[in-house]
Structure formats: C-alpha cells, structure tokens
Amino acid sequence: MRPPSFLEGVALALAASIAGSILFTVLAPLFSGATVLRLLIAVIGFGYLIYLLRRSPERIGRISALAVWVVAAGAVWLAQPPLVLYLIIHLGLIWVIRSLYFYGSVLSSLADLGLTGLSLAAAIWSATHTGSLFLSLWCFFLMQALFVAIPHDLRTRANGTRSAPDSEDRFQRAHRVAQAALRKLSSTH
C-alpha cells in the first residue's frame, strides 16, 4: 500500500468541506446550531478516522482504536462540554490515532500536534474573517493534509542517522566487523 499523499489530502479537504457545509445547511433548521456543530465534528472526525486507519501501513489494533474513539466520542457527547472543549477533545483523539499509526518517534508526534494546532488556528481565523463553515473546514483539512510531510521518525532526519538500527543494519555492521577481523587475522599470519 502506498502512503497517503498531499493531493489525496487536498481531495479529502474538499470532500469534507462540501459534506460539512451541506449537512450544516440541511440540519441547521431542524436543530440548534451548537447541536449541529457537535454532530458535524463527530461525523467528520469519524470519517477522517476511517480514512487514517485505511491509509495506515499498520494493521494491528484498528478495531480497538475505532472502539476507543467511538466510546470516547460517545462519552464526550453525553458530557456536553463547551463546544471549544468538545472540538479540542475530538482533535486530540485524531492526533493520538495518527501518532500511533503513522509515526515512530515522539518528535514526529509532537510535530503533528503542532500541525494540528496550526490547523485549528487556521480554521478559527477563517471562521472569524469569513463566517463560512466551508472555508473553515477547507483551511483545517488543507493544513491537515500536510501531515504526510512529517517523517515517520523525526530523529532520523534530525541526526542524519538512525537512533535505533533495525535488524538489517545490525547484520551489515556485524558482517563488516567479521570481515575486518578476518583481514586482520590473515595479515598477521
């Protein structure tokens, strides 16, 4: 399976923006605005979670991750915290799932947390300046599409070397040491 791409993220941003705008327009006359926004946050968050789990190279724990998200989202729905806290909790759930399934280091995960914060800031900026749900969702998910640029293990990029060599690297190193020992033995006799 090929990893997710930025263009795929752009297409997802467009789809989420259109779907969210249509759902809000249809549901706003039937329910209160806050209830519709909570429902949109949960539905779009669930859809994004499904996308992440389907695109992840990891196969283990998908059902558990999905179950944890559903239970946590249900508990938050029943607790009815303020809308901003409700949104932050959902973003936190998405961040944890993405960190577990796409990153191999704490630094990469923290970079993703920063990206999530910037995405939220872009969405809030868009909402305050335009008043458009479509543009707010577009800005948020467009920024989220950049998560593909964060390396799996940021320590590798920062240090230029792997901090935890995998088995092939250990084998190659042992092979070189053995060859050097054989050369040293053959040169002394």
Side-chain angles (χ1 to χ4, degrees):
M1 172 181 283
R2 62 178 179 65
S5 67
F6 177 72
L7 290 177
E8 192 175 273
V10 171
L12 179 74
L14 183 62
S17 301
I18 291 170
S21 297
I22 290 171
L23 281 173
F24 186 80
T25 303
V26 169
L27 296 175
L30 303 174
F31 304 102
S32 73
T35 302
V36 174
L37 286 176
R38 288 175 194 274
L39 182 64
L40 284 178
I41 290 168
V43 168
I44 293 173
F46 184 73
Y48 189 62
L49 175 73
I50 296 296
Y51 162 76
L52 289 174
L53 291 176
R54 291 200 67 187
R55 299 300 292 144
S56 169
E58 296 292 328
R59 299 284 179 229
I60 298 172
R62 289 180 177 198
I63 302 292
S64 299
L66 198 59
V68 166
W69 188 90
V70 167
V71 168
V76 171
W77 180 270
L78 293 175
Q80 293 290 314
L83 188 60
V84 172
L85 181 59
Y86 183 83
L87 175 62
I88 290 172
I89 290 170
H90 275 274
L91 291 178
L93 290 170
I94 293 295
W95 170 70
V96 167
I97 297 294
R98 199 163 53 198
S99 293
L100 290 172
Y101 281 89
F102 287 93
Y103 304 121
S105 74
V106 174
L107 291 176
S108 295
S109 184
L110 289 174
D112 190 79
L113 180 61
L115 178 66
T116 301
L118 286 173
S119 300
L120 179 60
I124 291 170
W125 176 85
S126 175
T128 57
H129 283 72
T130 66
S132 169
L133 179 63
F134 175 84
L135 289 177
S136 296
L137 289 170
W138 171 253
C139 288
F140 177 78
F141 282 107
L142 191 60
M143 292 287 293
Q144 288 292 291
L146 292 172
F147 92 92
V148 300
I150 299 172
H152 174 74
D153 189 349
L154 201 56
R155 293 176 300 177
T156 302
R157 292 270 175 100
N159 298 337
T161 60
R162 277 193 178 264
S163 58
D166 55 60
S167 61
E168 184 175 311
D169 290 342
R170 287 192 303 245
F171 175 78
Q172 293 296 333
R173 190 171 350 119
H175 183 63
R176 284 191 304 274
V177 169
Q179 284 181 332
L182 283 174
R183 278 193 300 272
K184 191 173 185 180
L185 283 173
S186 65
S187 67
T188 58
H189 291 290

